[in-house]
Amino acid sequence: MSRIVVDARGSFCPGPLMELVKTIKDAEVGTEIEVLSSDESSAKDIPEWVKKAGHELVGVEKKGDYWSIVVKKLK
Amino acid sequence: MGKLAIVLASGELEKLQAASIIGSVAATLGTEVLVFATMDGLMAFKKDVVEKKAWKAGELGKGMLQANAPLFIDTFKQAKETGNLKLYACGMVMDMLGLSMDEFVDVFDDKLGVTAFLGMTEGAQVLFI
């Protein structure tokens, strides 16, 4: 199981989401992508996007002053 | 995922930013997005305006520039790379002022008249910004 970390801390909405979209596009199916975001609205918005785009939300976790959002590419 | 048409008529930075964010996120979800830039919304893409960052901006817009938030032009460019988003320049405004495509930053797919735009946007949700 490969995992890619996308560090989008310091970037404002929709930056973290856009970083994820770019990464997920080029990743292989089954890859887990961890987005690090210091932007709270992105932490809420990314799960919404993942649901709509048909991928799997593995988990969202607040780690101090940032969020870790783990997504699995399903298609 | 449907079709979204955004008519960008305002040159206010805050509105341009909002339009680019909504349009680009919609494009990432597989929505076909058409952006028609007209009036002051088209003038905001002129190279000299972009270079000087001379957009009409209120307190928030100025704050965005200071915070180095991603600008609408870059957001649109990114959306074109990752999804199905196309930008069109209003032919009427260009003809009226004698403007050519190379006076604008390189984001436009074509120059269109309003009839062609209406044809393209048939069945789309339209946002007028």
Side-chain angles (χ1 to χ4, degrees):
Chain A
M1 171 69 70
S2 54
R3 179 181 272 211
I4 302 170
V5 177
V6 176
D7 190 346
R9 284 175 292 185
S11 153
F12 299 100
C13 163
L17 171 62
M18 288 300 171
E19 297 281 331
L20 167 68
V21 171
K22 258 197 298 208
T23 308
I24 216 164
K25 213 181 158 188
D26 300 330
E28 283 177 26
V29 171
T31 307
E32 283 194 353
I33 297 149
E34 180 181 20
V35 184
L36 309 179
S37 167
S38 50
D39 179 73
E40 184 174 4
S41 61
S42 293
K44 287 204 173 75
D45 208 36
I46 287 174
E48 207 54 50
W49 183 89
V50 170
K51 203 165 60 182
K52 267 194 170 340
H55 299 292
E56 183 191 333
L57 182 70
V58 179
V60 181
E61 199 187 332
K62 189 167 194 282
K63 296 184 168 178
D65 60 353
Y66 70 93
W67 283 262
S68 152
I69 304 129
V70 181
V71 180
K72 189 172 178 181
K73 175 165 175 164
L74 293 186
K75 53 179 197 189
Chain B
M1 282 299 207
K3 222 185 205 188
L4 175 68
I6 299 175
V7 180
L8 203 46
S10 167
E12 288 168 38
L13 182 61
E14 292 86 345
K15 290 190 177 179
L16 294 159
Q17 292 287 87
S20 71
I21 293 170
I22 295 168
S24 61
V25 173
T28 66
L29 290 164
T31 305
E32 185 186 345
V33 183
L34 306 158
V35 182
F36 185 63
T38 182
M39 307 298 167
D40 285 344
L42 176 63
M43 301 310 266
F45 288 87
K46 280 189 76 215
K47 279 179 184 164
D48 55 331
V49 175
V50 175
E51 231 155 84
K52 295 192 198 100
K53 298 193 168 162
W55 299 287
K56 201 156 80 179
E59 195 182 335
L60 172 66
K62 290 191 180 96
M64 280 179 157
L65 290 174
Q66 271 163 359
N68 263 328
L71 283 173
F72 65 96
I73 293 172
D74 302 320
T75 308
F76 277 135
K77 275 188 183 162
Q78 206 174 39
K80 286 170 70 107
E81 285 165 22
T82 51
N84 184 2
L85 179 141
K86 288 193 161 62
L87 281 119
Y88 298 102
C90 172
M92 181 205 76
V93 174
M94 288 175 68
D95 296 344
M96 210 182 276
L97 301 177
L99 297 165
S100 68
M101 267 303 189
D102 54 24
E103 285 173 81
F104 295 99
V105 286
D106 186 20
V107 290
F108 290 110
D109 293 275
D110 206 352
K111 165 182 165 179
L112 280 191
V114 73
T115 315
F117 181 75
L118 286 171
M120 274 186 186
T121 59
E122 210 167 318
Q125 283 184 301
V126 181
L127 298 178
F128 190 94
I129 299 177

